[in-house]
Coordinates of all heavy atoms in Angstrom, one line a residue:
M24 N -12.9 -14.7 -4.6 CA -11.7 -13.8 -4.5 C -10.8 -14.1 -5.7 O -10.5 -15.3 -6.0 CB -11.0 -14.0 -3.2 CG -9.8 -13.1 -3.0 SD -9.0 -13.1 -1.3 CE -10.3 -12.4 -0.3
N25 N -10.3 -13.1 -6.4 CA -9.3 -13.3 -7.5 C -8.1 -14.0 -6.9 O -7.6 -13.6 -5.8 CB -9.0 -11.9 -8.0 CG -8.2 -12.0 -9.3 OD1 -7.4 -12.9 -9.5 ND2 -8.4 -11.1 -10.2
T26 N -7.6 -15.0 -7.6 CA -6.4 -15.7 -7.0 C -5.1 -15.1 -7.3 O -4.1 -15.4 -6.6 CB -6.4 -17.2 -7.6 OG1 -6.3 -17.0 -9.1 CG2 -7.6 -17.9 -7.3
K27 N -5.0 -14.2 -8.2 CA -3.7 -13.5 -8.4 C -3.5 -12.3 -7.5 O -4.3 -11.4 -7.5 CB -3.6 -13.1 -9.9 CG -2.2 -12.5 -10.2 CD -2.1 -12.2 -11.7 CE -0.7 -11.7 -12.0 NZ -0.5 -11.3 -13.4
P28 N -2.4 -12.3 -6.7 CA -2.3 -11.2 -5.8 C -2.0 -9.9 -6.5 O -1.4 -9.8 -7.6 CB -1.0 -11.6 -5.0 CG -0.8 -13.0 -5.2 CD -1.4 -13.3 -6.5
L29 N -2.5 -8.8 -5.9 CA -2.3 -7.5 -6.4 C -1.1 -6.9 -5.7 O -1.1 -6.9 -4.5 CB -3.6 -6.6 -6.2 CG -3.5 -5.1 -6.6 CD1 -3.3 -5.0 -8.1 CD2 -4.7 -4.4 -6.1
I30 N -0.1 -6.3 -6.4 CA 1.0 -5.7 -5.8 C 0.5 -4.2 -5.5 O 0.0 -3.5 -6.3 CB 2.2 -5.6 -6.7 CG1 2.7 -7.0 -7.1 CG2 3.3 -4.8 -6.1 CD1 3.7 -7.1 -8.2
V31 N 0.7 -3.9 -4.2 CA 0.3 -2.5 -3.7 C 1.5 -1.8 -3.3 O 2.3 -2.2 -2.5 CB -0.7 -2.6 -2.5 CG1 -1.0 -1.3 -2.0 CG2 -1.9 -3.4 -2.9
Y32 N 1.8 -0.6 -4.0 CA 2.9 0.2 -3.7 C 2.5 1.3 -2.8 O 1.6 2.1 -3.1 CB 3.5 0.8 -5.0 CG 4.0 -0.3 -5.9 CD1 3.2 -0.6 -7.1 CD2 5.2 -1.0 -5.7 CE1 3.6 -1.6 -8.0 CE2 5.6 -1.9 -6.6 CZ 4.8 -2.3 -7.7 OH 5.3 -3.2 -8.6
I33 N 3.3 1.5 -1.7 CA 2.9 2.5 -0.7 C 4.2 3.4 -0.5 O 5.2 3.0 0.0 CB 2.5 1.9 0.7 CG1 1.4 0.9 0.5 CG2 2.1 3.0 1.7 CD1 1.1 0.0 1.7
H34 N 4.0 4.7 -0.9 CA 5.1 5.6 -0.9 C 5.5 6.1 0.5 O 4.7 5.9 1.5 CB 4.8 6.8 -1.8 CG 3.7 7.7 -1.3 ND1 3.9 8.6 -0.3 CD2 2.4 7.7 -1.6 CE1 2.7 9.2 -0.1 NE2 1.8 8.7 -0.9
G35 N 6.6 6.7 0.7 CA 7.1 7.3 1.9 C 6.7 8.7 2.1 O 6.0 9.3 1.3
A36 N 7.2 9.3 3.2 CA 7.0 10.7 3.5 C 7.6 11.6 2.4 O 8.6 11.3 1.7 CB 7.6 11.1 4.8
F37 N 7.0 12.8 2.2 CA 7.4 13.8 1.2 C 7.3 13.3 -0.2 O 8.0 13.8 -1.1 CB 8.9 14.3 1.5 CG 9.1 14.8 2.9 CD1 9.6 14.0 3.9 CD2 8.7 16.1 3.1 CE1 9.7 14.5 5.2 CE2 8.9 16.7 4.4 CZ 9.4 15.9 5.4
C38 N 6.6 12.2 -0.5 CA 6.4 11.7 -1.8 C 4.9 11.5 -2.1 O 4.1 11.8 -1.3 CB 7.1 10.3 -1.9 SG 8.8 10.3 -1.7
D39 N 4.7 11.0 -3.3 CA 3.3 10.5 -3.7 C 3.5 9.3 -4.6 O 4.6 8.8 -4.7 CB 2.6 11.6 -4.4 CG 3.2 12.1 -5.7 OD1 4.0 11.3 -6.4 OD2 3.0 13.2 -6.2
A40 N 2.4 8.8 -5.1 CA 2.4 7.5 -5.8 C 3.3 7.5 -7.0 O 3.7 6.5 -7.4 CB 1.0 7.1 -6.2
S41 N 3.6 8.7 -7.5 CA 4.5 8.7 -8.7 C 5.9 8.2 -8.5 O 6.6 7.9 -9.4 CB 4.5 10.2 -9.3 OG 5.2 11.0 -8.4
A42 N 6.2 8.1 -7.2 CA 7.6 7.6 -6.8 C 7.7 6.1 -7.4 O 8.8 5.7 -7.6 CB 7.7 7.6 -5.3
F43 N 6.6 5.5 -7.6 CA 6.7 4.1 -8.1 C 6.4 4.0 -9.6 O 6.2 2.9 -10.2 CB 5.7 3.2 -7.4 CG 6.1 2.9 -6.0 CD1 5.5 3.6 -4.9 CD2 7.1 2.0 -5.7 CE1 5.9 3.4 -3.6 CE2 7.5 1.7 -4.4 CZ 6.9 2.4 -3.3
D44 N 6.3 5.1 -10.4 CA 6.0 5.0 -11.8 C 6.9 4.1 -12.6 O 6.4 3.3 -13.4 CB 6.1 6.4 -12.4 CG 4.8 7.3 -12.1 OD1 3.9 6.7 -11.4 OD2 4.9 8.5 -12.4
F45 N 8.2 4.2 -12.4 CA 9.1 3.3 -13.2 C 8.9 1.9 -12.8 O 8.8 1.0 -13.6 CB 10.6 3.7 -13.0 CG 11.5 2.8 -13.7 CD1 11.6 2.8 -15.1 CD2 12.2 1.8 -13.0 CE1 12.5 1.9 -15.7 CE2 13.0 0.9 -13.7 CZ 13.2 0.9 -15.0
I46 N 8.9 1.6 -11.5 CA 8.7 0.2 -11.0 C 7.4 -0.4 -11.6 O 7.3 -1.5 -12.0 CB 8.7 0.1 -9.5 CG1 10.1 0.5 -9.0 CG2 8.3 -1.3 -9.0 CD1 10.3 0.7 -7.5
K47 N 6.3 0.4 -11.5 CA 5.0 0.0 -12.1 C 5.1 -0.3 -13.6 O 4.3 -1.1 -14.1 CB 3.9 1.0 -11.8 CG 3.4 0.9 -10.4 CD 2.3 1.9 -10.1 CE 1.3 1.9 -11.2 NZ 0.3 3.0 -11.2
S48 N 6.0 0.4 -14.3 CA 6.1 0.1 -15.7 C 6.7 -1.2 -16.0 O 6.5 -1.8 -17.0 CB 6.9 1.2 -16.4 OG 8.3 1.1 -16.1
Q49 N 7.4 -1.8 -15.0 CA 8.0 -3.1 -15.1 C 7.2 -4.2 -14.4 O 7.2 -5.3 -14.8 CB 9.4 -3.1 -14.5 CG 10.3 -2.0 -15.0 CD 10.6 -2.1 -16.5 OE1 11.0 -3.2 -16.9 NE2 10.4 -1.1 -17.2
K50 N 6.5 -3.8 -13.3 CA 5.7 -4.7 -12.5 C 4.5 -4.0 -12.1 O 4.4 -3.4 -11.1 CB 6.6 -5.1 -11.3 CG 6.2 -6.4 -10.7 CD 6.6 -7.5 -11.5 CE 6.5 -8.8 -10.7 NZ 6.5 -10.0 -11.6
P51 N 3.4 -4.1 -13.0 CA 2.2 -3.4 -12.7 C 1.5 -3.7 -11.4 O 1.7 -4.8 -10.9 CB 1.2 -3.8 -13.9 CG 2.2 -4.3 -14.9 CD 3.3 -4.9 -14.2
G52 N 0.9 -2.7 -10.8 CA 0.2 -2.9 -9.5 C -0.5 -1.6 -9.2 O -0.7 -0.7 -10.1
L53 N -0.9 -1.5 -8.0 CA -1.7 -0.3 -7.5 C -0.8 0.6 -6.6 O -0.3 0.1 -5.6 CB -2.9 -0.8 -6.7 CG -3.8 0.3 -6.0 CD1 -4.4 1.2 -7.0 CD2 -4.8 -0.4 -5.1
A54 N -0.6 1.8 -7.1 CA 0.2 2.7 -6.3 C -0.8 3.6 -5.5 O -1.6 4.3 -6.1 CB 1.1 3.6 -7.1
I55 N -0.7 3.6 -4.2 CA -1.6 4.3 -3.3 C -1.1 5.7 -3.0 O 0.1 5.9 -2.8 CB -1.7 3.5 -2.0 CG1 -2.3 2.1 -2.2 CG2 -2.6 4.3 -1.0 CD1 -3.7 2.1 -2.6
N56 N -2.0 6.7 -3.1 CA -1.7 8.0 -2.6 C -2.4 8.2 -1.3 O -3.6 7.8 -1.1 CB -2.3 9.1 -3.6 CG -1.2 9.5 -4.5 OD1 -0.1 9.8 -4.2 ND2 -1.6 9.7 -5.8
Y57 N -1.7 8.8 -0.3 CA -2.2 9.2 1.0 C -1.5 10.4 1.5 O -0.4 10.7 1.0 CB -2.1 8.0 2.0 CG -0.7 7.7 2.4 CD1 -0.1 8.3 3.5 CD2 0.1 6.9 1.5 CE1 1.2 8.0 3.8 CE2 1.5 6.7 1.9 CZ 2.0 7.2 3.0 OH 3.3 7.0 3.3
D58 N -2.1 11.1 2.4 CA -1.4 12.2 3.0 C -0.5 11.8 4.1 O -0.9 11.4 5.2 CB -2.5 13.2 3.6 CG -1.9 14.5 4.1 OD1 -0.7 14.6 4.3 OD2 -2.7 15.4 4.3
W59 N 0.8 11.8 3.9 CA 1.8 11.3 4.8 C 1.9 12.1 6.1 O 2.5 11.7 7.1 CB 3.2 11.2 4.2 CG 3.7 12.5 3.6 CD1 3.5 13.0 2.3 CD2 4.3 13.6 4.3 NE1 4.0 14.2 2.2 CE2 4.6 14.6 3.4 CE3 4.8 13.7 5.6 CZ2 5.2 15.8 3.7 CZ3 5.4 14.9 5.9 CH2 5.6 15.9 5.0
R60 N 1.2 13.3 6.1 CA 1.2 14.1 7.3 C 0.2 13.7 8.4 O 0.2 14.2 9.5 CB 1.0 15.6 6.9 CG 2.1 16.1 6.1 CD 1.7 17.4 5.5 NE 0.7 17.2 4.5 CZ 0.2 18.1 3.6 NH1 0.7 19.3 3.6 NH2 -0.8 17.8 2.8
L61 N -0.7 12.7 8.0 CA -1.7 12.2 8.9 C -1.0 11.4 10.0 O 0.1 10.9 9.9 CB -2.7 11.3 8.2 CG -3.5 11.9 7.1 CD1 -4.3 10.8 6.3 CD2 -4.5 12.9 7.8
D62 N -1.7 11.3 11.2 CA -1.3 10.4 12.2 C -1.4 8.9 11.7 O -2.1 8.7 10.7 CB -2.1 10.6 13.5 CG -3.5 10.3 13.3 OD1 -3.9 9.1 13.2 OD2 -4.3 11.3 13.2
Y63 N -0.6 8.0 12.4 CA -0.6 6.7 11.9 C -1.9 6.0 11.7 O -2.2 5.5 10.6 CB 0.3 5.8 12.8 CG 1.8 6.0 12.7 CD1 2.6 5.5 13.7 CD2 2.4 6.8 11.7 CE1 4.0 5.7 13.7 CE2 3.7 7.0 11.7 CZ 4.5 6.5 12.7 OH 5.9 6.7 12.6
P64 N -2.8 6.0 12.7 CA -4.1 5.3 12.5 C -4.9 5.9 11.3 O -5.5 5.2 10.5 CB -4.8 5.5 13.8 CG -3.8 5.8 14.8 CD -2.7 6.5 14.0
S65 N -4.9 7.2 11.1 CA -5.6 7.9 10.0 C -5.0 7.5 8.7 O -5.8 7.3 7.7 CB -5.7 9.4 10.2 OG -6.3 9.7 11.4
A66 N -3.7 7.5 8.6 CA -3.1 7.2 7.3 C -3.3 5.7 7.0 O -3.6 5.4 5.8 CB -1.6 7.4 7.4
V67 N -3.2 4.8 7.9 CA -3.5 3.4 7.7 C -5.0 3.2 7.2 O -5.2 2.5 6.2 CB -3.3 2.5 8.9 CG1 -3.8 1.1 8.8 CG2 -1.8 2.5 9.2
D68 N -5.9 3.9 7.8 CA -7.3 3.8 7.4 C -7.5 4.4 6.0 O -8.2 3.8 5.2 CB -8.2 4.5 8.4 CG -8.3 3.8 9.7 OD1 -8.0 2.6 9.8 OD2 -8.8 4.4 10.7
A69 N -6.8 5.5 5.7 CA -6.9 6.1 4.4 C -6.4 5.1 3.3 O -6.9 5.0 2.2 CB -6.2 7.4 4.3
I70 N -5.3 4.4 3.6 CA -4.7 3.5 2.6 C -5.6 2.3 2.5 O -6.0 1.9 1.3 CB -3.3 3.1 3.1 CG1 -2.4 4.3 3.0 CG2 -2.8 1.9 2.2 CD1 -1.0 4.0 3.7
I71 N -6.1 1.7 3.6 CA -7.0 0.5 3.5 C -8.2 0.9 2.7 O -8.7 0.0 2.0 CB -7.3 0.0 4.9 CG1 -6.0 -0.6 5.5 CG2 -8.5 -0.9 4.9 CD1 -6.2 -1.1 7.0
S72 N -8.8 2.1 2.9 CA -10.0 2.4 2.1 C -9.8 2.4 0.6 O -10.8 2.3 -0.1 CB -10.5 3.8 2.6 OG -9.7 4.8 2.0
Q73 N -8.6 2.4 0.2 CA -8.3 2.4 -1.3 C -8.0 1.0 -1.8 O -7.8 0.8 -3.0 CB -7.1 3.3 -1.6 CG -7.4 4.7 -1.3 CD -6.1 5.6 -1.5 OE1 -5.7 5.7 -2.7 NE2 -5.6 6.2 -0.5
L74 N -8.0 0.0 -0.9 CA -7.6 -1.4 -1.3 C -8.8 -2.2 -1.7 O -9.9 -2.1 -1.0 CB -6.9 -2.0 -0.2 CG -5.6 -1.4 0.3 CD1 -5.0 -2.1 1.5 CD2 -4.6 -1.4 -0.9
P75 N -8.7 -3.0 -2.7 CA -9.8 -3.9 -3.0 C -10.0 -5.0 -1.9 O -9.0 -5.4 -1.3 CB -9.4 -4.6 -4.4 CG -7.9 -4.5 -4.4 CD -7.5 -3.2 -3.6
T76 N -11.2 -5.4 -1.7 CA -11.4 -6.4 -0.7 C -11.5 -7.8 -1.2 O -11.6 -8.7 -0.5 CB -12.7 -6.1 0.1 OG1 -13.8 -6.0 -0.9 CG2 -12.6 -4.7 0.8
D77 N -11.5 -7.9 -2.6 CA -11.7 -9.2 -3.2 C -10.4 -9.8 -3.8 O -10.4 -10.7 -4.6 CB -12.7 -9.1 -4.3 CG -12.3 -8.2 -5.5 OD1 -11.4 -7.3 -5.2 OD2 -12.9 -8.3 -6.5
R78 N -9.3 -9.3 -3.4 CA -8.0 -9.7 -3.9 C -7.0 -10.0 -2.7 O -7.0 -9.3 -1.7 CB -7.3 -8.6 -4.8 CG -8.1 -8.2 -6.0 CD -7.9 -9.1 -7.2 NE -6.6 -9.3 -7.7 CZ -6.0 -8.6 -8.6 NH1 -6.6 -7.6 -9.2 NH2 -4.8 -8.9 -9.0
K79 N -6.1 -10.9 -2.9 CA -5.0 -11.1 -2.1 C -4.0 -9.9 -2.4 O -4.0 -9.5 -3.6 CB -4.3 -12.4 -2.3 CG -5.1 -13.6 -1.9 CD -5.2 -13.7 -0.4 CE -5.9 -15.0 0.0 NZ -5.9 -15.1 1.5
L80 N -3.3 -9.5 -1.4 CA -2.4 -8.3 -1.6 C -1.0 -8.6 -1.3 O -0.7 -9.3 -0.3 CB -2.9 -7.2 -0.8 CG -4.3 -6.7 -0.9 CD1 -4.7 -5.7 0.2 CD2 -4.6 -6.2 -2.3
F81 N -0.1 -8.1 -2.1 CA 1.4 -8.1 -1.8 C 1.8 -6.7 -1.6 O 1.8 -5.9 -2.6 CB 2.1 -8.8 -3.0 CG 3.6 -9.0 -2.7 CD1 4.0 -10.3 -2.3 CD2 4.5 -8.0 -2.8 CE1 5.3 -10.5 -1.9 CE2 5.8 -8.2 -2.5 CZ 6.3 -9.5 -2.1
L82 N 2.2 -6.3 -0.4 CA 2.5 -4.9 -0.1 C 3.9 -4.6 -0.3 O 4.8 -5.3 0.2 CB 2.1 -4.6 1.4 CG 0.6 -4.9 1.7 CD1 0.4 -4.6 3.2 CD2 -0.3 -4.1 0.9
V83 N 4.2 -3.5 -0.9 CA 5.6 -3.0 -1.1 C 5.6 -1.5 -0.6 O 4.9 -0.7 -1.1 CB 6.0 -3.0 -2.6 CG1 7.4 -2.4 -2.8 CG2 5.9 -4.4 -3.2
G84 N 6.4 -1.3 0.4 CA 6.4 0.0 1.0 C 7.8 0.6 1.0 O 8.8 -0.1 1.2
S85 N 7.9 1.9 0.7 CA 9.2 2.6 0.7 C 9.2 3.5 2.0 O 8.3 4.3 2.2 CB 9.3 3.4 -0.5 OG 10.5 4.2 -0.5
S86 N 10.2 3.4 2.8 CA 10.4 4.2 4.0 C 9.2 4.2 4.9 O 8.8 3.1 5.3 CB 10.8 5.6 3.5 OG 11.3 6.4 4.6
L87 N 8.5 5.3 5.1 CA 7.3 5.4 5.9 C 6.3 4.4 5.4 O 5.5 3.9 6.1 CB 6.8 6.8 5.9 CG 5.6 7.1 6.8 CD1 5.8 6.7 8.2 CD2 5.1 8.5 6.7
G88 N 6.2 4.3 4.0 CA 5.3 3.3 3.4 C 5.5 1.9 3.9 O 4.6 1.1 4.0
G89 N 6.8 1.6 4.2 CA 7.1 0.2 4.8 C 6.5 0.0 6.1 O 6.0 -1.0 6.4
L90 N 6.5 1.1 7.0 CA 5.9 1.0 8.3 C 4.4 0.8 8.1 O 3.8 0.0 8.8 CB 6.2 2.3 9.1 CG 5.4 2.4 10.4 CD1 5.8 1.3 11.4 CD2 5.7 3.7 11.0
Y91 N 3.8 1.6 7.2 CA 2.4 1.4 6.9 C 2.0 0.0 6.4 O 1.0 -0.5 6.8 CB 1.8 2.5 6.0 CG 1.8 3.9 6.7 CD1 2.1 5.0 6.0 CD2 1.5 4.0 8.0 CE1 2.0 6.3 6.6 CE2 1.4 5.2 8.7 CZ 1.7 6.3 8.0 OH 1.7 7.6 8.6
A92 N 2.9 -0.5 5.6 CA 2.7 -1.9 5.0 C 2.6 -2.9 6.2 O 1.7 -3.8 6.2 CB 3.8 -2.2 4.0
L93 N 3.5 -2.7 7.2 CA 3.5 -3.6 8.3 C 2.2 -3.5 9.1 O 1.6 -4.5 9.6 CB 4.7 -3.4 9.2 CG 6.0 -3.8 8.6 CD1 7.2 -3.3 9.5 CD2 6.1 -5.3 8.4
L94 N 1.8 -2.2 9.4 CA 0.5 -2.0 10.1 C -0.7 -2.5 9.4 O -1.6 -3.1 10.0 CB 0.4 -0.5 10.4 CG 1.5 0.1 11.3 CD1 1.4 1.6 11.4 CD2 1.4 -0.5 12.7
I95 N -0.7 -2.4 8.1 CA -1.8 -2.9 7.3 C -1.8 -4.4 7.2 O -2.9 -5.0 7.4 CB -1.7 -2.3 5.8 CG1 -2.0 -0.8 5.9 CG2 -2.7 -3.0 4.9 CD1 -1.6 0.0 4.6
A96 N -0.7 -5.0 7.1 CA -0.6 -6.5 7.1 C -1.1 -7.0 8.4 O -1.8 -8.1 8.4 CB 0.9 -6.9 6.9
K97 N -0.9 -6.3 9.5 CA -1.4 -6.8 10.8 C -2.9 -6.7 10.9 O -3.6 -7.6 11.4 CB -0.8 -5.9 11.9 CG -1.2 -6.4 13.3 CD -0.4 -5.6 14.4 CE -0.8 -6.1 15.8 NZ -0.2 -5.4 16.8
K98 N -3.5 -5.7 10.2 CA -4.9 -5.5 10.2 C -5.6 -6.4 9.2 O -6.8 -6.9 9.5 CB -5.3 -4.1 9.9 CG -5.2 -3.1 11.0 CD -5.7 -1.7 10.6 CE -6.7 -1.3 11.7 NZ -7.2 0.0 11.5
L99 N -5.0 -6.7 8.1 CA -5.6 -7.5 7.0 C -4.9 -8.8 6.8 O -4.7 -9.3 5.7 CB -5.6 -6.7 5.7 CG -6.2 -5.3 5.7 CD1 -6.0 -4.7 4.3 CD2 -7.7 -5.4 6.1
K100 N -4.6 -9.5 7.9 CA -3.8 -10.7 7.9 C -4.3 -11.7 6.9 O -3.4 -12.3 6.1 CB -3.9 -11.4 9.3 CG -3.3 -10.7 10.4 CD -3.5 -11.4 11.7 CE -3.1 -10.5 12.8 NZ -3.7 -10.9 14.1
E101 N -5.6 -12.0 6.7 CA -6.1 -13.0 5.8 C -5.9 -12.6 4.3 O -5.9 -13.5 3.5 CB -7.5 -13.3 6.1 CG -7.8 -13.8 7.5 CD -7.0 -15.1 7.8 OE1 -7.0 -16.0 6.9 OE2 -6.4 -15.2 8.9
Q102 N -5.8 -11.4 4.1 CA -5.7 -10.9 2.7 C -4.3 -10.7 2.2 O -4.1 -10.6 1.0 CB -6.5 -9.5 2.6 CG -6.9 -9.1 1.2 CD -7.7 -7.9 1.2 OE1 -8.1 -7.3 2.3 NE2 -8.0 -7.4 0.1
I103 N -3.3 -10.7 3.1 CA -1.9 -10.3 2.7 C -1.2 -11.6 2.4 O -1.2 -12.6 3.2 CB -1.3 -9.6 3.9 CG1 -2.1 -8.3 4.2 CG2 0.2 -9.2 3.5 CD1 -2.3 -7.3 3.1
V104 N -0.4 -11.6 1.3 CA 0.4 -12.8 0.9 C 1.9 -12.4 1.0 O 2.7 -13.3 0.9 CB 0.1 -13.3 -0.5 CG1 -1.3 -13.9 -0.5 CG2 0.3 -12.3 -1.5
G105 N 2.2 -11.2 1.2 CA 3.6 -10.8 1.3 C 3.8 -9.3 1.4 O 2.8 -8.5 1.4

């Protein structure tokens, strides 16, 4: 497993990954796109499917993305560092 955590940006409702463009220009990471209209379990699964499995992850969520970050952290306990 790569030892450097990957910062994962998760946008909120009515947004997409471009909401993090400026922040990513200062602090590179992976901005996830998902359909915020999905039910919680489907959205969480859609986000998790885009995450690498060989890296520790630091999740950053905005609004609804913050809720998803908490749900993902619960599912991927061993992989999450923050």
Side-chain angles (χ1 to χ4, degrees):
M24 187 175 286
N25 189 326
T26 58
K27 186 174 181 181
L29 175 65
I30 299 172
V31 178
Y32 299 103
I33 306 169
H34 65 81
F37 303 96
C38 296
D39 62 25
S41 67
F43 289 102
D44 284 351
F45 177 75
I46 295 171
K47 279 181 47 191
S48 73
Q49 306 299 307
K50 202 70 164 162
L53 173 64
I55 298 292
N56 264 317
Y57 67 94
D58 185 348
W59 56 268
R60 296 167 294 191
L61 295 171
D62 59 76
Y63 288 168
S65 298
V67 168
D68 290 342
I70 294 167
I71 288 174
S72 73
Q73 298 177 62
L74 299 175
T76 58
D77 64 340
R78 300 277 301 267
K79 294 286 186 178
L80 305 173
F81 188 99
L82 305 177
V83 177
S85 172
S86 192
L87 180 60
L90 174 62
Y91 288 144
L93 291 172
L94 296 171
I95 291 164
K97 186 175 180 180
K98 282 187 127 177
L99 302 180
K100 292 176 193 161
E101 300 300 317
Q102 200 176 352
I103 306 301
V104 298

